[in-house]
Amino acid sequence: MRPLARIAGAKVLAFDRPAFGLTSRTRRSGDDTKPLNPYSMAFSAMATLAFIDQLGPGKAVLVGHSAGCLVAVEAYFEAPELVVALVLVAPAIFAPRKGEKENSVGEQEGADKKDSDDNNAAPNPFARIWRGFLGMCMWLAGLVLKLVMAVQDTVRALSSKLLVAFLRSSLAASLVRLIMDKFGVTGVRNAWYDPSKVTDHVIQGYTKPLRSKGWETALLEYTISMITDSSPKSRVPVSKRLSEISCPVLVVTGDTDRLVPASNAERLARAIPGAAFEVIKNCGHLPQEERAEEFLSVVERFLQRAFGTPDEHVFQAAV
């Protein structure tokens, strides 16, 4: 962080979002209808903006990693006037694929052409009867589909409630502790390109938060918040609003990221107008740790292109 502060010519600050790191874990009442669930995405974005506000007047470059990238983007959409740039590292944001719409248009044109050819053919009473019969079958199929969808929504709602009840049980907390004990260190090593370079110091850094009181409950509540997302159905998902981002954006990924493929990061960069895309070689899911020097160089080039020298920067803090 200190080298990054020198490069940026600004303060570099980091904070642990709720449910992660050493931030204290808040006990939930279990009422998901109450606003400002401390483990929800909306709260994380608001906490980020409140953190920027606490720093005093000025704007910020938001640097997000993995799922934190979604927090950074959500915070930008909430208050774009406070965010001068985004650095998205190994972004766990679904990037839309292109080409599906074009294919559907082509299929529609083909169907229109076929209908036109059929209309130019000689009238056939049996063909008309057959088309009428097919139309009735399609109508019935649509009716059945609507009924199935209604039942499916009900089943999904019941399944969601059952799942939430299970995740809030003592059994779920025990399972989380067991999984972390058995596979937590393996997961950290798998996030690196070269697992042999994961030192005991690195492992201690990742296991230290697991000694926080209630960490397993908070992690389960974070999962529940994603399942019971109460955002309005009319709200457009972030993945469909990427083209609205107008600030400078840098997307960084490791070429051998096993958790979030580099191909997804590349699609994300293409979906954001003018976004810069950088791939760090021989690197996994944690470029800022595994390839710190290369990561700093990439960020420095980005900041120079976007804002010039540190003396010319218009922001006061990079969070």
Side-chain angles (χ1 to χ4, degrees), residues 40-287:
S40 66
M41 181 59 62
F43 186 90
S44 290
M46 292 183 65
T48 302
L49 295 173
F51 187 63
I52 295 174
D53 185 62
Q54 286 293 316
L55 301 177
K59 301 179 181 181
V61 175
L62 293 184
V63 183
H65 172 255
S66 194
C69 293
L70 187 56
V71 178
V73 173
E74 288 277 12
Y76 167 81
F77 281 131
E78 286 294 327
E81 69 280 3
L82 295 180
V83 181
V84 294
L86 293 167
V87 178
L88 308 178
V89 188
I93 300 176
F94 173 73
R97 295 178 180 272
K98 291 185 177 181
E100 295 177 358
K101 186 175 181 180
E102 287 79 355
N103 290 338
S104 62
V105 172
E107 291 171 0
Q108 181 64 39
E109 289 175 352
D112 292 343
K113 186 174 185 297
K114 186 176 182 299
D115 290 342
S116 177
D117 293 341
D118 290 342
N119 290 333
N120 292 331
N124 187 326
F126 293 103
R128 290 180 179 177
I129 295 173
W130 178 249
R131 282 199 295 270
F133 175 73
L134 288 178
M136 184 177 66
C137 289
M138 292 296 292
W139 179 81
L140 288 174
L143 181 62
V144 172
L145 182 61
K146 289 180 181 179
L147 292 174
V148 170
M149 291 296 289
V151 173
Q152 189 179 42
D153 289 341
T154 303
V155 172
R156 188 183 296 112
L158 291 174
S159 301
S160 177
K161 290 182 179 180
L162 290 173
L163 180 58
V164 168
F166 170 73
L167 292 176
R168 286 196 170 125
S169 67
S170 57
L171 175 59
S174 299
L175 285 174
V176 169
R177 288 193 294 269
L178 177 63
I179 291 171
M180 284 298 185
D181 288 342
K182 295 292 185 182
F183 306 107
V185 173
T186 302
V188 174
R189 295 187 186 279
N190 191 54
W192 285 54
Y193 167 76
D194 186 356
S196 66
K197 294 184 178 180
V198 180
T199 64
D200 291 339
H201 177 71
V202 172
I203 295 298
Q204 290 172 7
Y206 278 96
T207 55
K208 186 177 181 180
L210 303 183
R211 294 195 291 272
S212 299
K213 184 179 180 180
W215 68 266
E216 66 274 50
T217 303
L219 188 60
L220 289 168
E221 287 293 341
Y222 169 74
T223 305
I224 291 170
S225 73
M226 293 189 292
I227 296 173
T228 60
D229 181 16
S230 58
S231 58
K233 292 185 179 296
S234 59
R235 183 178 180 181
V236 181
V238 165
S239 60
K240 295 184 178 180
R241 298 185 64 191
L242 297 173
S243 61
E244 299 175 20
I245 298 177
S246 58
C247 71
V249 178
L250 169 64
V251 178
V252 186
T253 185
D255 63 344
T256 55
D257 191 333
R258 301 181 184 93
L259 302 181
V260 180
S263 58
N264 183 80
E266 185 177 8
R267 289 201 306 274
L268 180 69
R270 287 202 301 264
I272 300 174
F277 177 63
E278 297 281 356
V279 179
I280 297 179
K281 301 294 184 182
N282 300 327
C283 182
H285 188 60
L286 300 156

